[in-house]
């Protein structure tokens, strides 16, 4: 278990599509806010929504565990059936060979009998050898064939026939044993299939019970976000009022750039004994007041004026803002940021994380992923950012994947700053949103512990006060101290020793994907080491904050902990959108498209554009059979078609970003299908590779909303 960790869990965060709220553009000398404080129950609302999400994650983890067992049993049954059939075929062939050798021996024995040649075989053996050819005795007697070496040939043939009979009996016994094993494996798979179907029904019922609660909690969480926005604004206004009361006029940025050459009356602002460039301080009534530049104050004021404005892909106002758009507008006209987050980093001086001040540009990402998000810093570990997951410009917590803090008023970097190269998957983590789905290749992962060496422990998402996040951020595998721990797939190692984990191995697999192995009693790898799937990296222990010997295993995407079980079960996972679980998006957060079908609103808008273009081309309405699929309906489909349907909780239908189409599109190489392949990507709709002809699962009708060409 992971006790006492201090970081956010965006999977269970209050990510909702907020209503548009227009905060005024406050002047540099605003008056204090007179708005009412948020209700005391607002923290209970937070806990309520997170609890619902944690319960959904725990249900999905439990179902994934059952599916893993069923999938393994099904594979074992298939393997056992193949082995049984092979053994039975070999047994039949061997029986035929043995019968032929016995027939040959019978011929020799009959000839010897007719010719009066002594035999070395006893009466019982003679009868055994003659049985297959008894009907041919007269024919043999009539031949009167002279066999000069019949005695020795008879002995040799007897040995050959006996060996063939023995081999035939062995293979028959082997086939019988393998058939019994195949029948047992098939029975086990059938039993587990029934368990999975029952769990699917139970999970669907559990999720259905949550639907109404989610709608209520979603509405309340919007109030919480509004309250958080207002609280941050109030703190900022209080600071500005403090400057006004102290009769401090914010100086120009150029004046504060060098802390060793500040004007009279201003002193350096220090953090951990170091002077902070670009900021100063003054002593007022025995206390220190921070002094920021006029340009910085203007930027923060402008950032607050955008709070509540809707998020939009690649938008830059005045009504919608992409993730870079809000930061760009905040810092204009002092400076104009480049058009990509990765291009911002080389242009502005980075400052240590310990010296972050309001107005700083915070860029999020990693070396293997690239830079994917940007926000304007506030105090209290918060920032203002256009957040795709929350659908708005909001005040939010600075995420764990903070890569660097930049201070525009310090100008260009003293030393070159090279941004990490964006991976092909970086767009999936853009603007505060975790990827809707992530494929690591079916069968590409090994398990962190060997079969039979562990028991499944505390699941991902379980709520409890013992965790500082309020939820368990990994999957526990209970095993004795010293049990070998293996890397699940290829990656580069980092060894860490945080208090909660004791000994921790973190493996970066690239493209924003990491796995963590905690509480190890021993670490067998070193920093920077490249490891292969199944390679031993350490041993199970109980180091750090642990309740007993176990491996605490985590999967991170773009810095966020996500449910490991679907990854281990399928090699892929669907892990989040807007703070809701797969198949558990309230109807109020979806948009209709046609005939009762619904999609996530951005996908719905793109679908309508696609449908209009299709109708202009073919003169008919775009034919659709399936769209958003609730968890309950996913479970029902899986019960009926477990070998074809996606594991419930992993389907992109459950995120409202997938459709199944008809009217000719449901067949490869038709005119309609070819038109879709050529034109659908323009509107952000893609045919996934696994569904292509010759792919893992051929589904010409299945299309998913990806990223528009303008993103």
């Amino acid at each position: 278990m992971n006790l006492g960790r201090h970081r956010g869990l965006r999977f269970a965060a209050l990510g909702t599509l907020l209503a548009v709220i227009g905060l005024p553009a406050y002047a540099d000398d605003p008056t204090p806010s007179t708005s009412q404080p948020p209700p005391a129950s607002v923290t209970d609302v937070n806990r309520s929504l997170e609890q619902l999400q944690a319960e959904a994650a725990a249900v999905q983890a439990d179902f994934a565990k059952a599916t893993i067992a069923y999938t393994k049993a099904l594979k074992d049954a298939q393997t056992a059936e193949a082995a049984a059939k092979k053994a039975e075929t070999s047994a039949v062939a061997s029986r035929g060979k043995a019968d032929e050798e016995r027939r040959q021996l019978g011929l020799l024995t009959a000839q010897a009998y007719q010719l009066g040649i002594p035999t070395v075989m006893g009466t019982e053996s003679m009868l055994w050898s003659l049985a297959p050819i008894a009907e041919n005795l007269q024919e043999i007697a009539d031949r009167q064939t002279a066999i000069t070496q019949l005695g020795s040939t008879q002995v040799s043939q007897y040995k050959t026939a006996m060996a063939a009979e023995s081999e035939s009996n062995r293979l028959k016994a082997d086939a019988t044993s393998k058939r019994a094993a195949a029948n047992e494996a098939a029975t086990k798979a059938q039993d587990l299939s029934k368990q999975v179907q029952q769990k699917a029904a139970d999970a669907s019922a559990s999720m259905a019970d949550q639907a109404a609660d989610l709608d209520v909690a979603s509405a309340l969480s919007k109030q919480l976000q509004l309250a958080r926005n207002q609280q941050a604004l109030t703190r900022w206004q209080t600071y500005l009022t403090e400057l006004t009361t102290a009769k401090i006029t914010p100086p120009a940025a150029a004046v504060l750039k060098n802390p060793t050459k500040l004007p009279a009356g201003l002193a350096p602002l220090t953090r951990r004994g170091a002077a902070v460039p670009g900021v100063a301080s003054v002593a007022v009534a025995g206390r220190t007041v921070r002094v920021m530049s006029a340009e910085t104050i203007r930027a923060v004021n402008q950032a607050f004026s955008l709070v509540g404005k809707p998020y939009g892909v690649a938008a830059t106002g005045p009504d919608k803002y992409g993730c870079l758009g809000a930061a760009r507008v905040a810092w204009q006209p002092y400076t104009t940021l480049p058009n990509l987050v990765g291009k911002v980093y080389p242009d502005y001086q980075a400052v240590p994380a310990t010296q972050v001040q309001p107005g700083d540009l915070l860029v999020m990402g990693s070396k293997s992923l690239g830079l994917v998000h940007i926000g304007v810093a506030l105090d209290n570990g918060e920032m203002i950012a256009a957040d795709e997951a929350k659908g708005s410009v909001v005040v939010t917590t600075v995420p764990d994947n903070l890569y660097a803090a930049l201070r525009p008023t310090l100008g260009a970097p003293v030393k070159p700053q090279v941004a990490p190269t964006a991976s092909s998957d970086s767009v999936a983590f853009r603007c505060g949103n975790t990827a809707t789905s992530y494929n690591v290749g079916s069968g590409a992962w090994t398990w962190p512990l060997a079969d039979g060496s562990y028991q499944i422990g505390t699941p991902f998402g379980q709520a409890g006060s013992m965790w500082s996040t309020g939820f368990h951020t990994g999957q526990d595998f209970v095993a004795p101290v010293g049990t070998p721990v293996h890397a699940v797939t290829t990656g580069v190692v980092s060894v860490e020793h945080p208090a909660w984990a004791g000994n921790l191995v973190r493996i970066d697999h690239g493209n924003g994907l990491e796995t963590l192995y905690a509480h190890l009693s021993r670490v067998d790898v070193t920093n920077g080491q490249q490891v292969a799937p199944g390679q031993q990296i350490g041993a199970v222990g109980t180091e750090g904050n642990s309740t007993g010997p176990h491996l605490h295993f985590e999967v991170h995407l773009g810095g966020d902990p996500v449910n490991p079980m679907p990854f281990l079960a399928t090699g892929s996972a669907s892990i989040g959108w807007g703070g809701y679980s797969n198949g558990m998006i309230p109807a109020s957060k979806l948009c209709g498209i046609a005939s009762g079908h619904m999609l996530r609103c951005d996908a719905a808008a793109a679908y309508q554009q696609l449908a209009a273009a299709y109708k202009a081309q073919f003169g008919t309405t775009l034919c659709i059979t399936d769209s958003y699929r609730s968890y309950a309906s996913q479970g029902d489909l899986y019960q009926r078609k477990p070998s074809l349907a996606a594991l419930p909780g992993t389907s992109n239908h459950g995120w409202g970003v997938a459709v199944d189409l008809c009217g000719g599109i449901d067949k490869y190489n038709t005119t309609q299908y070819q038109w879709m392949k050529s034109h659908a990507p323009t509107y952000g709709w893609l045919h996934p590779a696994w569904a292509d002809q010759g792919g893992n699962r051929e589904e010409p009708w299945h299309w998913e909303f990806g990223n528009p060409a303008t993103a």
Side-chain angles (χ1 to χ4, degrees):
M1 295 183 183
N2 171 5
L3 310 181
R5 299 188 64 178
H6 301 283
R7 63 181 181 206
L9 178 58
R10 191 162 67 230
F11 173 83
L14 301 177
T16 58
L17 295 177
L18 303 180
V20 178
I21 56 171
L23 297 179
Y26 291 91
D28 291 350
D29 185 17
T31 56
S33 171
T34 58
S35 61
Q36 294 295 317
S41 62
V42 85
T43 54
D44 295 332
V45 174
N46 178 10
R47 190 176 303 112
S48 174
L49 183 60
E50 290 189 339
Q51 179 68 42
L52 288 169
Q53 298 307 314
E55 289 173 3
V59 168
Q60 292 179 357
D62 181 62
F63 184 75
K65 180 177 69 175
T67 302
I68 290 166
Y70 166 61
T71 303
K72 184 177 185 302
L74 190 61
K75 183 178 180 181
D76 290 345
Q78 292 169 343
T79 301
E81 177 64 23
K85 287 183 176 179
K86 182 178 180 181
E88 288 166 348
T89 300
S90 298
V92 170
S94 180
R95 180 72 265 170
K97 181 179 180 182
D99 287 345
E100 175 60 23
E101 295 296 344
R102 185 177 175 186
R103 192 183 74 82
Q104 291 294 333
L105 177 60
L107 290 173
L108 290 175
T109 302
Q111 291 175 17
Y113 177 78
Q114 294 295 332
L115 295 175
I117 299 174
T119 177
V120 295
M121 296 191 299
T123 303
E124 186 176 341
S125 297
M126 287 179 62
L127 291 174
W128 175 80
S129 68
L130 288 169
I133 51 98
E135 69 277 11
N136 296 319
L137 288 177
Q138 186 59 45
E139 176 187 347
I140 296 170
D142 292 343
R143 290 179 185 173
Q144 297 295 307
T145 304
I147 306 175
T148 57
Q149 295 182 340
L150 185 57
S152 60
T153 302
Q154 184 183 13
V155 171
S156 174
Q157 184 61 37
Y158 174 71
K159 291 180 179 179
T160 299
M162 288 299 292
E165 180 75 8
S166 176
E167 177 66 6
S168 175
N169 289 337
R170 185 189 71 78
L171 290 175
K172 181 180 179 181
D174 181 57
T176 300
S177 174
K178 283 185 168 61
R179 171 51 58 193
N183 291 340
E184 181 180 355
T187 300
K188 181 179 179 181
Q190 289 173 359
D191 291 342
L192 286 174
S193 176
K194 293 177 182 178
Q195 291 182 30
V196 165
Q197 291 176 6
Q198 184 59 52
K199 281 189 176 290
D202 293 343
S204 295
S206 174
M207 295 295 199
D209 289 341
Q210 286 190 5
D213 294 337
L214 273 172
D215 268 318
V216 173
S218 174
L220 293 175
S221 70
K222 181 170 71 175
Q223 295 180 17
L224 177 62
Q225 181 64 64
L226 295 175
R228 184 176 193 177
N229 294 346
Q230 185 60 46
Q231 287 171 340
L233 175 60
T234 299
R235 285 192 294 267
W236 175 247
Q237 289 177 315
T238 299
Y239 166 71
L240 296 181
T241 301
E242 185 178 35
L243 290 181
T244 302
T245 302
K247 297 181 179 180
I248 298 172
T249 301
V255 174
L256 301 179
K257 189 172 182 180
N258 188 340
T260 64
K261 298 180 179 179
L262 296 173
L266 294 180
L269 180 72
T270 60
R271 291 289 182 269
R272 296 189 180 182
V276 181
V279 190
S281 68
V282 295
V284 178
R287 57 192 179 84
T288 300
V289 176
R290 177 175 54 192
V291 178
M292 289 185 282
S293 69
E295 292 88 341
T296 299
I297 290 175
R298 177 183 174 84
V300 176
N301 282 340
Q302 290 190 152
F304 269 113
S305 75
L306 303 178
V307 170
K309 296 290 181 68
Y311 170 85
V313 175
T316 315
D319 299 318
K320 294 183 179 181
Y321 293 83
C323 63
L324 185 61
R328 177 185 284 138
V329 170
W331 274 99
Q332 287 177 336
Y334 178 75
T335 186
T336 299
L337 304 183
N339 59 356
L340 294 173
V341 177
K343 293 183 178 180
V344 174
Y345 179 66
D347 289 351
Y348 300 96
Q349 178 63 51
V351 296
T354 56
Q355 296 185 5
V356 171
Q357 300 294 314
D360 288 347
L361 296 172
L362 305 180
V363 290
M364 275 61 71
S366 67
K367 289 182 179 178
S368 67
L369 184 64
L371 301 180
V372 296
H373 193 25
I374 187 169
V376 178
L378 302 174
D379 286 323
N380 300 311
E382 294 182 325
M383 67 178 184
I384 294 173
D387 195 307
E388 181 180 26
K390 298 180 180 180
S392 178
V393 180
V394 294
V395 174
T396 186
T397 302
V398 178
D400 286 345
N401 62 341
L402 174 65
Y403 185 82
L406 311 173
R407 189 159 298 154
T409 57
L410 297 182
V414 176
K415 297 180 181 179
Q417 296 172 178
V418 180
T421 302
S423 73
S424 58
D425 290 328
S426 62
V427 70
F429 303 97
R430 69 184 180 194
C431 311
N433 193 18
T434 301
T436 305
S437 63
Y438 197 98
N439 188 7
V440 296
S442 180
W445 283 36
T446 62
W447 282 64
L449 300 178
D451 285 348
S453 69
Y454 63 87
Q455 292 181 336
I456 297 293
T458 305
F460 174 86
Q462 181 167 310
S465 59
M466 65 182 69
W467 303 294
S468 63
T469 59
F471 307 94
H472 194 233
T473 53
Q475 173 65 56
D476 286 349
F477 296 92
V478 179
V481 171
T483 303
V485 176
H486 309 283
V488 296
T489 191
T490 303
V492 178
V493 166
S494 295
V495 178
E496 303 171 11
H497 303 282
W500 71 269
N503 296 318
L504 172 74
V505 170
R506 181 190 299 265
I507 303 180
D508 186 343
H509 306 289
N511 295 335
L513 177 66
E514 292 181 313
T515 52
L516 284 70
Y517 312 75
H519 308 308
L520 301 178
S521 61
R522 187 181 74 247
V523 174
D524 298 332
V525 287
T526 58
N527 281 321
Q529 181 177 343
Q530 180 90 15
V531 292
Q535 181 173 336
Q536 185 167 327
I537 59 173
V540 169
T542 185
E543 304 299 313
N545 295 328
S546 171
T547 57
H550 71 284
L551 171 68
H552 174 85
F553 175 69
E554 294 193 10
V555 175
H556 285 194
L557 281 177
D560 289 333
V562 296
N563 188 356
M565 295 302 273
F567 279 88
L568 294 172
T570 66
S572 64
S574 300
I575 37 73
W577 170 77
Y580 298 101
S581 297
N582 183 287
M584 295 299 294
I585 303 174
S588 60
K589 304 301 178 186
L590 298 169
C591 290
I593 48 175
S595 305
H597 290 285
M598 303 185 77
L599 291 172
R600 202 175 76 183
C601 290
D602 56 345
Y607 179 88
Q608 298 286 22
Q609 292 177 325
L610 172 64
Y614 183 89
K615 188 169 186 177
Q617 174 68 25
F618 295 101
T620 58
T621 301
L622 188 57
C623 180
I624 181 171
T625 62
D626 202 6
S627 54
Y628 171 70
R629 194 179 291 161
S630 69
Y631 191 92
S633 62
Q634 291 180 55
D636 177 67
L637 181 62
Y638 193 85
Q639 290 179 65
R640 293 183 285 108
K641 302 177 180 179
S643 61
L644 296 177
L647 174 68
T650 67
S651 170
N652 272 343
H653 283 288
W655 297 120
V657 292
V659 293
D660 290 344
L661 303 177
C662 45
I665 299 172
D666 51 342
K667 296 180 178 62
Y668 293 113
N669 300 320
T670 63
T671 303
Q672 294 88 344
Y673 177 83
Q674 293 296 346
W675 184 90
M676 284 288 294
K677 288 286 284 185
S678 298
H679 295 86
T682 303
Y683 305 96
W685 285 91
L686 310 169
H687 194 249
W690 59 263
D692 283 340
Q693 196 165 17
N696 295 338
R697 196 167 68 246
E698 295 185 348
E699 293 187 7
W701 56 83
H702 183 88
W703 295 77
E704 297 180 354
F705 182 65
N707 299 294
T710 56

